[in-house]
Amino acid sequence: MSAWTREAVEALGPTTNVPTVAAIFGVNPETVYAAIRRNEWTATRVLHLGRTIKLPTLDVIRLLYAPEAEVSAPVTAVPAPCHHAENMQVTDSKPHSQCGCSPAHSVPFQPLRRVT
């Protein structure tokens, strides 16, 4: 078992795969896959990208180095939850708490046309 340093984990990039996270935690990868399947994996967020499972390395760093969990460079593991340009059905009247957008930036909902 090799020792994983903080620098080595940061060098993995924004996300990594299950076998790598299992190696960092010193467990069998099948144990991690089974916990994810049973929705019992709480150590990190789980990103399902088709059939691929990715885990944010920032979550691993925060778990292992809790008091000093700030990463030297900002790492964005997942895109922001608000995508007004792609989602034409955003009509909230209040700003979103995480992205700070407001209805002035959103496009009004266009009802579907009935085909007769």
Side-chain angles (χ1 to χ4, degrees):
M1 179 173 115
S2 64
W4 281 85
T5 63
R6 180 183 177 134
E7 291 77 22
V9 175
E10 287 178 359
L12 293 172
T15 61
T16 189
N17 57 20
V18 171
T20 304
V21 170
I24 293 168
F25 291 148
V27 298
N28 187 313
E30 198 51 45
T31 303
V32 178
Y33 281 120
I36 291 171
R37 279 193 298 273
R38 293 188 310 264
N39 290 325
E40 295 175 356
W41 181 257
T42 58
T44 65
R45 291 171 288 167
V46 177
L47 307 173
H48 294 276
L49 307 170
R51 292 184 53 138
T52 304
I53 296 175
K54 293 290 186 177
L55 305 171
T57 54
L58 184 58
D59 292 357
V60 174
I61 293 168
R62 285 185 175 150
L63 182 66
L64 295 176
Y65 308 99
E68 59 209 50
E70 293 306 314
V71 181
S72 54
V75 177
T76 304
V78 293
C82 184
H83 303 286
H84 285 186
E86 293 131 25
N87 187 354
M88 302 302 280
Q89 297 183 5
V90 176
T91 60
D92 289 341
S93 59
K94 299 178 186 174
H96 295 173
S97 61
Q98 293 187 357
C99 65
C101 66
S102 65
H105 299 109
S106 63
V107 178
F109 173 73
Q110 298 294 324
L112 297 174
R113 284 183 260 147
R114 192 172 249 175
V115 178
T116 55

